[in-house]
Amino acid sequence: MRRIKCTLAYDGSGFFGFQIQPDKRTVAGELEKSLQKMHKGQTIRIHGSGRTDTGVHAKGQVIHFDSPLQLPAENWKKALNALLPEDIYITKVENVTDAFHARFDAIAKEYHYFVRTAPEWDVFSRNYTYHFPHALDVDKIKEACTYFEGTHDFTTFSSVKTSVKGNKVRTLYTVTCETKESGLRFIFHGDGFLYNMVRIITGFLLDVGQGKWEPEEIPGLIAAKDRSKIGKTIGPEGLYLMRVIYE
Amino acid sequence: MRRIKCTLAYDGSGFFGFQIQPDKRTVAGELEKSLQKMHKGQTIRIHGSGRTDTGVHAKGQVIHFDSPLQLPAENWKKALNALLPEDIYITKVENVTDAFHARFDAIAKEYHYFVRTAPEWDVFSRNYTYHFPHALDVDKIKEACTYFEGTHDFTTFSSVKTSVKGNKVRTLYTVTCETKESGLRFIFHGDGFLYNMVRIITGFLLDVGQGKWEPEEIPGLIAAKDRSKIGKTIGPEGLYLMRVIYE
């Protein structure tokens, strides 16, 4: 058996998330279906770096699997892309040792969240950016971003429905907000992310931009460890898993 | 009754084209459904500037309809957009006289066709640009564009399945090709377009870019009035109805 590492992109709008679910179209389900075709009906289990929710996109998700087939990396890429549906695309294939694990070896991840602030609805970006047509104080948002950087217990800024028991301490290396032509791009780079964490923090940052919170209130909110203190989780359409970083 | 003119955008990827068809999701069908809700079940017929095919997009389609309701234009826009599905959006509403007709009064139209020439597949643009990952001689394409400008019989460059009987003479005021970051944008501005005409001409221009035809051969191909002389119709995903022009 040889271990294969794949980097992939997918348009999350047509999937019930990454993880396999019976009778639902999922990214992992489609990947395993295509691998099964390549292996004459044999089931090949894939392991992702982590899940993404319904509607969340990826430009740099990473998976691994084991296969008895011996193919050069470029042939794996061509063969898999020929079998996969058009909303999943393998961008890179690498032969790795048995020691590699897509989830356990990931040391950091990068997520982007796109917000469109233009007043009118845009039918073409509705599945790809979050529409928030409101005036925002971007300087205040940028100041607020810095309060999230560092090592914190993110209980207040993650879903209570999390599957993670216990430790909710994570380190965000950088949290930045860039002004784009049609809105804002938020960039999160950290060692790990709790359930809905990027969507909850970004939603909160938009509230800061509207003057509902002051940046200085963030340390107190983090210390409170109480999800109910802040606003709702914003939509999945603006969220992209951009990169999974390994040693 | 008051006549209302609407300008609208739609993402064609979720529709079986513009025109109403039984048991199919169409743009006109969704528009009439929303109008029916606004008129307590009464059927309101809409008239478009022309049809668009399955998968073809619009940023500036125009329709008109007659209504007994008296609403300011801005209220029409809000009410209709609230009822319409998220892949159709009314950008402008105008009160017009009974003399206005969306189809018969249109004196010109502008279509854009986007071609992505980057080598790798992009899951996010698959429904919005045509992927043609081949080396192209853009100067030759630009030269070829000029041969289509002017008044010609476009039989060679339109579908044999056209519903138009007789006259296939149309005037293209300008045909241009712009180089974009990830590919090419073709812009067609003319007094009228035959069935599949933009998709057939653009496909032919890509063949010119690959050296399959020389620009100088175009007058002979137009004179031949024979669709079978040239290549296939390319996909609908790159095509946008941008503007309908009235007096």
Side-chain angles (χ1 to χ4, degrees), chain B residues 8 10 15 17-19 25-32 52 88:
Chain B
L8 58 144
Y10 46 85
F15 296 103
F18 181 82
Q19 201 179 20
R25 187 171 188 267
T26 68
V27 177
E30 294 297 322
L31 287 164
E32 293 196 355
T52 54
I88 303 179

Side-chain angles (χ1 to χ4, degrees), chain A residues 9-12 57-59 77 86-91 120-121 123-124 126-128 240, chain B residues 9-12 57-59 77 86-91 120-121 123-124 126-128 240:
Chain A
Y10 46 83
D11 174 349
H57 311 292
K59 292 194 177 184
K77 183 178 161 179
E86 61 176 20
D87 47 358
I88 303 179
Y89 184 73
I90 309 280
T91 55
E120 301 273 328
W121 180 249
V123 296
F124 298 105
R126 71 191 192 285
N127 291 326
Y128 307 109
Y240 294 74
Chain B
Y10 46 85
D11 174 349
H57 312 291
K59 293 194 178 184
K77 184 178 162 180
E86 62 175 21
D87 47 357
I88 303 179
Y89 184 74
I90 309 281
T91 56
E120 303 272 329
W121 181 250
V123 296
F124 299 104
R126 72 190 193 285
N127 292 327
Y128 307 107
Y240 294 74

Side-chain angles (χ1 to χ4, degrees), chain A residues 137-171:
Chain A
D137 182 335
V138 177
D139 288 334
K140 237 174 205 176
I141 289 175
K142 286 183 179 179
E143 191 196 336
C145 283
T146 64
Y147 282 92
F148 288 102
E149 293 179 343
T151 303
H152 304 288
D153 183 312
F154 284 98
T155 302
T156 302
F157 296 93
S158 64
S159 172
V160 291
K161 287 179 282 179
T162 179
S163 60
V164 178
K165 310 259 185 266
N167 191 340
K168 295 196 179 172
V169 175
R170 296 291 183 276
T171 300

